[in-house]
Amino acid sequence: MGSPEIKADSQEPPQPSGLPETPLNLKHWWRLKNLRTLNILLLIPLLSIFAQGFDGSMMNGLQSVSHWQSYFGTPTGALLGFFNAAYPLGGIFGVFLISPMADTYGRRVGLATGAALCCLGAALQGGATNMAMFIISRIIIGAGSVVVAGVGAPYITEVAHPAQRSTATALFLTFYSVGSIVAGWSTFGTFRIDGTASWRIPSSLQAAPSIIQLLFVWFVPESPRWLVSQGRNDEALAILVKYHGEGNSNDPVVQFEYEEIQSALSSEKNISQMTIVSFLRELVSGPGNRRRTFIMVWAAICSQMSGNAFVSYYLSPILRSVGLKSDLQQTLINATSQMVSWFSALYFATLPARLGRRTLFLWSLVLMWGVVICITAGSAVFDRDMNKAAGYSVVVFLYLFSPCYNLGFNGNLGLYIPEILPFHLRTKGLSFFYFVQFCFMILSTFAVPIGLEDIQWRLYIIFVGWIMVEFAGVYFIFPETKGPTLEEIASIFDAPGARFRNVEAGQVKREIEHIN
């Protein structure tokens, strides 16, 4: 009864290319005691993106709460933009903590560091007595949330069973929507309170996932790849045997993983000797790293400049612009739209392993482009003749925007960036990615309220044209990474003369050409 369940070949889903066959039945992984435990424990790093989702939805909700508006003097335009930009500003500071903590002290310590900062920021935010205190608290939360996000994504990628890695990592960003839902319903539930508790309660709740992480991250196994990088090979092998082989040290997948990790890390540079200068130099050294760098920059731009800022942070002024002005209407739409976002994100997290990463990026951009066109048209009609049907159509497409965004830039993006980076660049590369992403988040969150105030619905036209440019960048530069193991993906970029071509079913095969 206690022995690992042997798989039935007819039931087992396809293994990633390059992995040997495993005797375990991974389709029914919940029957495997240690793998079941591992996947439950992975919920702790999966909470890492919760704070970012909570923040956007909370700020949307607070803009609909009369007591918050009156307490802080009804901020609009540039001042409102600064309120929201404080969060990504903190994120820029936080990126410089990701690699020093996670690479030096381990993934668990890195995660705990970011969680502690989030707890501190949420406590200050909930107890804020003036505008300066509220803004400072958001800077601290921004710093902490980018640390937990920058550590959490590679942590999951490196600890998950290789046959489940793509789905587990893709699920990471779906917890953005979980945070959004909690924030949306908390502001909907408290806006009726007559007093500052109407906004202090949701502001304080932002600490909840970080408290859970601080308490339970120590039960999650450390990354075997980090342990090998520290010379703790026996500990790394023991973790792989326990959680990926159900205690069987001769499991072919375990032996393959261990040998591949050792081989990959032995050929990579010593991460402890890599300074910021040498890291930046490596980002542009060689065609593989230059391609990685462009992808990280372009993905960061697409994730923030596709029109999602006015849905994530400025839903309230958009709803007011189409005639929906009551606290009840706005907080209810904010809360229910986040639920639609989460359900779509959960399903879409299963698609990268089946359809491929690049395919999802492209379709996501196409669908967002269509939705933004419809939002623009509906807003223009409502502005011209106050047509209620046009106003309601804008609301419908606001609901649809998040699922379209999630298709390519939720779980799929959370999987793609960590897996294109080799181990010695993974946390530093994610730090760089988040640095670029938060820079554009500042630009977007600061500029959008000014644009909405000055040119109103015409602002959306900019995004209609820009998404087409984003599509072209993804189409010509982003390679497919569906199929290969984590270490093999590094070879796709770094092998001499490597180039990519798409083949049937969205797969990409590597062709290596040795130049004489």
Side-chain angles (χ1 to χ4, degrees):
M1 294 291 293
S3 59
E5 183 179 350
I6 305 300
K7 72 176 182 180
D9 291 338
S10 62
Q11 296 177 332
E12 184 66 22
Q15 294 282 331
S17 63
L19 271 186
E21 287 292 320
T22 177
L24 302 176
N25 183 358
L26 297 179
K27 182 176 181 180
H28 300 126
W29 58 266
W30 55 88
R31 298 177 182 173
L32 304 172
K33 177 183 176 182
N34 294 333
L35 185 55
R36 179 177 67 243
T37 300
L38 174 64
N39 287 342
I40 292 172
L41 290 173
L42 286 180
L43 289 171
I44 302 305
L46 278 171
L47 284 172
S48 297
I49 204 71
F50 182 102
Q52 291 188 26
F54 191 103
D55 189 80
S57 181
M58 183 193 71
M59 289 306 297
N60 258 333
L62 292 187
Q63 291 172 63
S64 303
V65 176
S66 300
H67 284 289
W68 183 86
Q69 291 280 1
S70 60
Y71 195 90
F72 292 106
T74 315
T76 58
L79 180 59
L80 180 59
F82 186 66
F83 255 100
N84 285 321
Y87 177 85
L89 178 61
I92 289 178
F93 296 136
V95 297
F96 296 102
L97 290 175
I98 297 174
S99 182
M101 299 305 299
D103 287 340
T104 305
Y105 301 106
R107 305 316 195 211
R108 293 188 294 188
V109 172
L111 200 66
T113 301
L117 286 171
C118 287
C119 289
L120 173 61
L124 291 174
Q125 184 173 255
T129 57
N130 52 53
M131 184 182 299
M133 188 174 176
F134 193 87
I135 290 174
I136 290 172
S137 71
R138 290 180 50 70
I139 291 174
I140 296 173
I141 292 173
S145 64
V146 78
V147 174
V148 292
V151 177
Y155 195 5
I156 295 168
T157 298
E158 294 167 5
V159 173
H161 192 287
Q164 299 175 336
R165 173 178 58 83
S166 61
T167 299
T169 310
L171 281 170
F172 176 72
L173 282 182
T174 66
F175 277 76
Y176 182 99
S177 297
V178 177
S180 298
I181 290 173
V182 173
W185 284 110
S186 65
T187 53
F188 176 76
T190 61
F191 84 89
R192 299 174 182 85
I193 298 176
D194 186 16
T196 60
S198 60
W199 59 267
R200 292 190 189 278
I201 291 174
S203 295
S204 301
L205 279 175
Q206 198 157 358
S210 299
I211 293 172
I212 294 172
Q213 287 186 311
L214 276 174
L215 292 175
F216 295 103
V217 69
W218 315 109
F219 296 96
V220 185
E222 184 57 88
S223 163
R225 288 166 176 82
W226 181 81
L227 290 170
V228 170
S229 75
Q230 301 297 305
R232 296 160 62 178
N233 293 25
D234 291 342
E235 295 177 58
L237 180 58
I239 288 173
L240 293 174
V241 169
K242 178 178 180 180
Y243 292 105
H244 294 183
E246 289 297 309
N248 179 13
S249 59
N250 295 317
D251 184 288
V253 171
V254 169
Q255 292 299 321
F256 177 84
E257 274 192 284
Y258 184 61
E259 293 174 5
E260 192 174 49
I261 291 170
Q262 284 187 308
S263 174
L265 294 189
S266 66
S267 65
E268 293 182 8
K269 295 183 177 180
N270 189 329
I271 59 174
S272 64
Q273 297 178 352
M274 182 175 286
T275 64
I276 293 179
V277 174
S278 61
F279 163 70
L280 294 175
R281 187 183 300 118
E282 182 157 359
L283 281 182
V284 294
S285 66
N289 281 344
R290 285 194 290 271
R291 188 174 192 139
R292 288 188 180 101
T293 301
F294 180 88
I295 289 172
M296 287 190 289
V297 171
W298 201 249
I301 293 173
C302 293
S303 71
Q304 297 302 317
M305 303 299 291
S306 299
N308 46 305
F310 56 75
V311 176
S312 297
Y313 280 91
Y314 301 109
L315 186 62
S316 179
I318 291 175
L319 293 176
R320 284 199 298 269
S321 73
V322 293
L324 299 171
K325 299 179 180 180
S326 75
D327 290 7
L328 174 62
Q329 289 174 320
Q330 292 185 13
T331 55
L332 182 60
I333 290 173
N334 181 43
T336 53
S337 66
Q338 300 305 335
M339 294 186 69
V340 172
S341 177
W342 183 49
F343 291 138
S344 67
L346 281 177
Y347 175 69
F348 293 154
T350 67
L351 299 182
R354 290 154 46 188
L355 302 180
R357 288 59 151 163
R358 180 177 179 271
T359 300
L360 295 180
F361 281 132
L362 293 173
W363 273 108
S364 178
L365 288 167
V366 169
L367 293 174
M368 282 193 289
W369 181 70
V371 167
V372 173
I373 289 176
C374 294
I375 291 174
T376 305
S379 299
V381 172
F382 183 87
D383 183 65
R384 185 185 64 199
D385 53 21
M386 297 298 174
N387 185 303
K388 287 188 177 181
Y392 292 143
S393 73
V394 171
V395 176
V396 171
F397 285 105
L398 286 171
Y399 271 93
L400 291 176
F401 184 90
S402 289
C404 296
Y405 178 90
N406 291 342
L407 180 64
F409 293 93
N410 191 285
N412 190 50
L413 179 63
L415 166 64
Y416 193 72
I417 299 301
E419 74 179 5
I420 68 171
L421 295 164
F423 177 82
H424 75 284
L425 291 178
R426 193 161 293 139
T427 56
K428 289 183 174 66
L430 276 168
S431 300
F432 173 79
F433 169 76
Y434 281 119
F435 178 84
V436 177
Q437 186 182 56
F438 275 67
C439 285
F440 280 96
M441 188 186 295
I442 290 174
L443 172 63
S444 184
T445 54
F446 186 76
V448 164
I450 298 174
L452 288 173
E453 191 173 47
D454 292 346
I455 60 175
Q456 298 160 357
W457 63 267
R458 297 168 185 82
L459 174 69
Y460 312 146
I461 298 174
I462 298 173
F463 295 102
V464 172
W466 178 245
I467 291 174
M468 297 172 66
V469 178
E470 292 178 343
F471 180 92
V474 172
Y475 184 85
F476 289 108
I477 301 297
F478 284 39
E480 182 59 79
T481 55
K482 173 188 171 185
T485 65
L486 197 57
E487 276 67 37
E488 286 177 333
I489 292 172
S491 299
I492 291 178
F493 283 84
D494 299 325
R499 64 185 179 90
F500 309 89
R501 65 182 178 87
N502 295 322
V503 294
E504 62 277 356
Q507 296 276 0
V508 172
K509 292 183 177 179
R510 184 174 76 251
E511 294 186 349
I512 306 299
E513 298 177 343
H514 296 283
I515 302 174
N516 294 328

